[in-house]
Amino acid sequence: MTEEGRGMAIAAELERRLQAAFAPVALDIRDDSERHRGHPGHREGGGTHFVVRIVSEAFRGLSRIERERRVMATVADLLEKPVHALQVIARTPEEVR
Amino acid sequence: MSNPVFERIRRQIESDDVVLYMKGTPVFPQCGFSAGVVQVLSRLGVQFRSYNVLEDMELRQGLKEFANWPTFPQLYVKGELVGGFDIVREMYESGELQQLLREKGIAFSEAA
């Protein structure tokens, strides 16, 4: 697999898992690896850092920290260095209205 | 919950209303994210206790497990983890942080 292909494959798997776990009404996954050039974990071709914007009823009543924990738990094994590899913006439909 | 450091953490976050586990100190932060949370708290005029995790590896490792949260800073209000810098900044800008402090009965400057 090419390096670009690897990044795209990870993004597709992120999307599949998040769809299955949270049934989001909106989901946007962006490969943010370029912005982390030179940081630990960065590799040529992307697929190391992602920004996830997710809107789901499943977050209702949960604190920010609990939403991020749940998203992380769903996808952590896909990420090589999960600590800084995923930025999560999790909202309920009401909060983005 | 057999890890002895958890007991120490629990005592710390129950002894003060607002506790910040950070890299460095409020006067000499050693990480931009830690400095950012100190800045938000200072702007709000909130009194807080800070602990420098760079000086205490046992505390640093213990907190990651205790909180199920892998990074620092970690801000606790009334014994509960609120978040790191991204969450604290967003909550400050949206007014949620001020609302949380109000609900928990913690004094801060409403003008901020």
Side-chain angles (χ1 to χ4, degrees):
Chain A
M1 198 189 301
T2 65
E3 290 293 288
E4 283 77 8
R6 191 178 55 85
M8 284 166 65
I10 294 171
E13 179 62 12
L14 283 173
E15 175 163 6
R16 196 189 65 72
R17 293 222 196 147
L18 293 171
Q19 287 286 359
F22 300 101
V25 296
L27 176 61
D28 176 54
I29 296 169
R30 194 158 51 82
D31 190 326
D32 200 35
S33 305
E34 265 320 291
R35 225 163 50 83
H36 295 266
R37 181 170 289 281
H39 293 192
H42 176 268
R43 277 205 290 180
E44 282 305 319
T48 58
H49 294 77
F50 291 91
V51 180
V52 168
R53 285 188 179 75
I54 181 167
V55 181
S56 167
E57 284 290 344
F59 300 128
R60 186 186 300 277
L62 300 181
S63 68
R64 302 276 180 127
I65 208 105
E66 192 51 36
R67 294 173 189 188
E68 272 195 49
R69 278 187 187 130
R70 292 191 186 190
V71 171
M72 269 326 164
T74 307
V75 300
D77 60 297
L78 295 175
L79 306 163
E80 288 172 57
K81 298 205 79 181
V83 171
H84 291 294
L86 193 62
Q87 187 189 342
V88 178
I89 302 157
R91 300 282 182 272
T92 65
E94 280 167 354
E95 290 166 352
V96 294
R97 214 169 275 153
Chain B
M1 290 282 170
S2 54
N3 191 333
V5 76
F6 288 178
E7 202 41 55
R8 183 151 68 102
I9 294 166
R10 220 171 281 122
R11 268 200 308 279
Q12 290 172 341
I13 62 178
E14 282 167 8
S15 301
D16 293 280
D17 286 344
V18 182
V19 174
L20 179 63
Y21 294 99
M22 63 179 291
K23 293 182 175 176
T25 65
V27 178
F28 292 109
Q30 292 182 47
C31 147
F33 299 109
S34 289
V37 174
V38 168
Q39 201 182 357
V40 167
L41 294 175
S42 303
R43 221 177 276 168
L44 285 170
V46 173
Q47 285 209 343
F48 64 99
R49 166 93 58 198
S50 75
Y51 295 94
N52 182 357
V53 297
L54 295 179
E55 285 183 346
D56 191 334
M57 285 312 287
E58 189 190 46
L59 183 63
R60 185 176 177 179
Q61 284 309 318
L63 273 163
K64 292 181 185 184
E65 289 172 46
F66 178 86
N68 185 23
W69 192 252
T71 56
F72 294 97
Q74 294 183 5
L75 178 68
Y76 289 77
V77 174
K78 290 268 185 188
E80 270 177 46
L81 178 60
V82 175
F85 176 61
D86 285 341
I87 289 176
V88 168
R89 180 188 49 189
E90 274 183 41
M91 289 180 71
Y92 170 64
E93 287 171 358
S94 71
E96 277 172 78
L97 185 61
Q98 294 86 325
Q99 193 187 326
L100 176 75
L101 294 170
R102 224 172 278 131
E103 281 168 10
K104 301 283 184 185
I106 292 159
F108 69 99
S109 157
E110 292 274 357

